[in-house]
Amino acid sequence: MVLFIVLLLIPIVLLYGFSNRVSIEVVEEEIQNSNLNRISFFTSQMDSVIDQLSIIPIIVSKDRSIQELLKTTKEYEQLQLQEAIVGKLILLSATSSWSNRLTIYLPGLKQAISSDYNGVYDPDFFRSSIKPDWEYHALPAGDSYFAKFILSPLISYKNPEDAEAVTEVRFSRRNVMNMLADYKQDGKGDPFLYSPGTGPIVSSAANEALIGELTSYLNGQQLSPMGHRIVELRHEKYLVGYVQSKSLGWYVVDYLPLQQILSPIVKSRNLFYGSIALLLAMSVVVALMLYKQVQIPIQLLLRGVQGIQAGKYALRLNHRPNNEFEYVFARFNEMAAQIQELLEKVYMEHIRFREAKLKQLQSQINPHFLYNCLFFIKNTIAVGDKHAATEMVVNLGDYFRHITKLENTMTTLHEEMKLVQNYLNIQNLRMDRFHYEIDIPDSMAQLEIPRLLIQPIVENAIIHGIGKSERYGIVTITGQRQWGENKIVIDDNGIGMSPRSWRSCSIKYRFRWIKR
């Protein structure tokens, strides 16, 4: 029954395991898509702000005030134009939601005009190569920033010192950090800005140690513009999604712990497996109870029936199951007792019947034999042969003293052979034409046999064998022990039996019984 329950639960567990695996894959896919959509939306928002900042230098480079400032030589007019340019820069800087700084470098005048009045003209700066893309400047002390330059005219990128004006727009990394912090508050992720070979930009509440391990992993990977991966860090799996910014070229990376995301599904799976284990345990308990309350009583009842079938009528069931089987066991014991009682009655009646039949046979044999012996005594007395008459009377007395002991139907072989010897002496006196020999081992003398078992066979050999033969008769009675059996062999040399019944010249009566 336990095996049946286990086989029944196995396909259920396998089907649920397959369903759970499919559910986890679907959830992982949905989470990946959702995470990528959120990262893409965040990246597009960031690019939108950066693109807006990228347009400002172009607008500034087209302003006429800069051309007028380059042409005028009067200091007062230069100051007025500078103040006008600063006002425009402040106004343009305020149009962005990020804090930024706009600076115009004038190589011809060796001047720098900034929206926060902190612009400093550095000749060495123009001797280095200036690229038209956003560049990240990591400062060991202070706030790192992103910067972009627009040269006028545009052909001046090869030699910035020849440019009429160089417009710079920069924004602090704190803008990105604040935006990452806002993004983190909306979800369970921990986003950061990543560029190969550069330290990541993270929010103020980020797990910098874990992000450092993840950055080391990403440095050795070839990343596409958009994608996701499952990374195992610190013996835990993380779902990592990334989207490349079109404006900065950096990657916005976000990671989510899979265990935390899939914990409801895992908890549901564990509850199901726990329920299956509990169901299996309860099934085992129920099976054991059924085995104890049903199977064991049935086995005992089956053994009892087999015992009765094998003849063990004294068998009784002593088990007390304290259920309906107790009534069945009680009825079985009553039935066995009744069967035993009836069999004992039938057996005793059969024994009495056999004893009565044996006594009847004895009563039938004794008168016939007695009459013959009395006629013999009468005839011997009439002819004056007192010795023969006396010997007949002695043997006849011993013979009848033995057969009239009707209180016991069993006797020893020694006593039975005395009876046979008396009978043979009586018959030899009457016929006087046969010789007998008796050879019984002493070890067989005390064997018990039914009374008058051998005498009728000897009588049959005398009357039907030797009595009907004209030659001198010989009767031998021998006892033999072979292979654990006791055997009495009675042989005579009379006329024998007809070929139809027996194909031998002598008659052999053999009675065997096992030595107990």
Side-chain angles (χ1 to χ4, degrees):
M1 185 175 294
V2 174
L3 180 61
F4 173 76
I5 294 173
V6 171
L7 293 177
L8 183 65
L9 293 179
I10 285 177
I12 298 177
V13 173
L14 293 177
L15 183 61
Y16 177 79
F18 175 75
S19 175
N20 182 262
R21 181 68 258 173
V22 172
S23 300
I24 291 177
E25 292 177 355
V26 171
V27 171
E28 288 180 354
E29 185 178 357
E30 290 296 327
I31 292 174
Q32 291 170 358
N33 295 333
S34 176
N35 193 36
L36 280 179
N37 291 335
R38 293 179 71 249
I39 298 174
S40 299
F41 180 73
F42 173 83
T43 305
S44 64
Q45 286 183 319
M46 184 180 67
D47 286 345
S48 176
V49 177
I50 295 174
D51 291 342
Q52 184 181 3
L53 290 174
S54 299
I55 297 174
I56 293 177
I58 299 175
I59 297 175
V60 171
S61 63
K62 301 298 182 181
D63 192 89
R64 293 181 179 180
S65 300
I66 298 176
Q67 299 294 329
E68 294 177 0
L69 180 62
L70 292 174
K71 292 178 181 180
T72 185
T73 57
K74 298 179 180 180
E75 295 183 357
Y76 177 75
E77 292 180 356
Q78 288 181 349
L79 290 176
Q80 287 182 334
L81 290 172
Q82 289 178 358
E83 288 295 328
I85 292 172
V86 169
K88 293 178 180 179
L89 292 178
I90 294 174
L91 182 62
L92 290 172
S93 176
T95 59
S96 176
S97 59
W98 285 4
S99 60
N100 59 85
R101 189 176 81 174
L102 297 175
T103 304
I104 300 175
Y105 298 97
L106 302 173
L109 299 177
K110 308 296 183 182
Q111 294 182 0
I113 303 172
S114 174
S115 61
D116 58 357
Y117 298 98
N118 291 323
V120 177
Y121 183 83
D122 185 4
D124 296 333
F125 172 76
F126 292 98
R127 295 189 180 96
S128 60
S129 61
I130 298 177
K131 298 179 181 179
D133 299 324
W134 287 95
E135 293 186 0
Y136 180 66
H137 299 269
L139 303 179
D143 189 14
S144 301
Y145 63 91
F146 287 89
K148 185 176 182 180
F149 296 89
I150 298 296
L151 277 68
S152 179
L154 297 177
I155 60 174
S156 302
Y157 279 104
K158 294 182 179 180
N159 189 7
E161 293 182 348
D162 296 337
E164 295 179 355
V166 178
T167 305
E168 178 195 21
V169 57
R170 69 170 63 174
F171 63 88
S172 173
R173 70 171 183 177
R174 292 188 177 275
N175 295 295
V176 180
M177 294 172 62
N178 294 333
M179 195 171 185
L180 291 174
D182 294 338
Y183 175 85
K184 183 176 181 180
Q185 291 178 357
D186 295 337
K188 297 181 180 180
D190 193 4
F192 61 93
L193 210 61
Y194 161 76
S195 179
T198 307
I201 299 176
V202 300
S203 63
S204 57
N207 187 346
E208 295 186 7
L210 183 61
I211 292 177
E213 295 182 12
L214 183 58
T215 302
S216 300
Y217 169 80
L218 294 176
N219 286 334
Q221 303 295 320
Q222 187 70 28
L223 301 180
S224 59
M226 177 185 294
H228 55 77
R229 298 187 181 186
I230 295 179
V231 182
E232 185 173 355
L233 300 174
R234 300 180 181 181
H235 306 289
E236 186 175 354
K237 291 184 178 181
Y238 293 89
L239 176 62
V240 179
Y242 53 89
V243 176
Q244 189 175 25
S245 171
K246 296 179 180 179
S247 300
L248 298 179
W250 287 48
Y251 288 92
V252 179
V253 183
D254 191 13
Y255 65 92
L256 297 171
L258 279 178
Q259 184 177 2
Q260 181 179 358
I261 298 172
L262 301 177
S263 59
I265 299 178
V266 174
K267 184 177 180 180
S268 175
R269 181 198 62 190
N270 295 338
L271 287 175
F272 176 79
Y273 287 149
S275 301
I276 291 295
L278 180 61
L279 178 62
L280 181 60
M282 293 177 61
S283 302
V284 172
V285 172
V286 171
L288 291 177
M289 292 180 61
L290 288 176
Y291 177 78
K292 181 179 180 181
Q293 298 295 328
V294 177
Q295 190 67 22
I296 291 179
I298 290 178
Q299 291 179 355
L300 292 175
L301 187 61
L302 180 60
R303 292 175 185 173
V305 173
Q306 292 175 348
I308 295 296
Q309 186 179 5
K312 300 177 182 179
Y313 301 108
L315 179 64
R316 299 293 183 270
L317 301 178
N318 298 322
H319 185 65
R320 294 292 181 268
N322 296 325
N323 53 28
E324 290 80 0
F325 281 99
E326 186 174 0
Y327 174 80
V328 177
F329 284 6
R331 301 291 81 77
F332 176 84
N333 291 335
E334 291 179 2
M335 179 192 69
Q338 292 177 1
I339 292 175
Q340 183 180 11
E341 183 179 358
L342 290 174
L343 287 175
E344 289 178 353
K345 288 181 179 179
V346 172
Y347 181 70
M348 294 305 296
E349 291 294 335
H350 182 66
I351 291 176
R352 294 191 188 96
F353 174 75
R354 292 179 61 185
E355 290 178 351
K357 188 174 181 180
L358 182 59
K359 290 179 181 179
Q360 182 183 7
L361 292 174
Q362 291 174 353
S363 64
Q364 292 177 357
I365 295 172
N366 291 340
H368 175 72
F369 181 70
L370 177 60
Y371 297 152
N372 292 335
C373 291
L374 291 177
F375 279 116
F376 176 80
I377 295 172
K378 174 185 175 183
N379 294 331
T380 54
I381 293 175
V383 297
D385 191 356
K386 295 181 180 180
H387 177 73
T390 301
E391 190 174 353
M392 174 64 78
V393 171
V394 173
N395 284 283
L396 187 62
D398 292 339
Y399 176 78
F400 274 98
R401 184 172 59 252
H402 180 78
I403 66 174
T404 53
K405 294 179 180 180
L406 301 179
E407 68 278 0
N408 190 2
T409 59
M410 302 298 290
T411 185
T412 62
L413 182 58
H414 177 70
E415 292 295 330
E416 184 71 12
M417 296 314 299
K418 284 184 178 181
L419 174 66
V420 171
Q421 188 173 4
N422 292 138
Y423 176 78
L424 290 173
N425 290 334
I426 292 171
Q427 292 291 11
N428 200 11
L429 288 172
R430 291 177 56 208
M431 299 175 64
D432 194 20
R433 63 184 188 88
F434 72 92
H435 171 73
Y436 69 89
E437 294 178 0
I438 299 176
D439 183 14
I440 302 297
D442 294 338
S443 59
M444 297 176 60
Q446 298 304 318
L447 294 176
E448 290 189 353
I449 62 173
R451 295 170 64 87
L452 294 177
L453 178 65
I454 301 176
Q455 186 273 337
I457 302 174
V458 174
E459 181 179 355
N460 186 71
I462 297 297
I463 297 174
H464 300 286
I466 297 175
K468 295 181 180 182
S469 176
E470 297 180 356
R471 58 184 175 176
Y472 188 79
I474 298 175
V475 178
T476 60
I477 303 174
T478 58
Q480 300 175 5
R481 278 192 166 185
Q482 294 180 351
W483 303 297
E485 292 183 348
N486 299 305
K487 183 167 59 176
I488 299 295
V489 181
I490 303 171
D491 290 347
D492 68 85
N493 62 346
I495 61 173
M497 300 178 66
S498 62
R500 182 178 180 182
S501 304
W502 193 266
R503 301 182 181 276
S504 177
C505 61
S506 64
I507 303 175
K508 296 182 180 180
Y509 299 92
R510 299 180 181 179
F511 294 88
R512 306 175 186 177
W513 59 94
I514 303 299
K515 181 180 179 181
R516 298 182 182 275

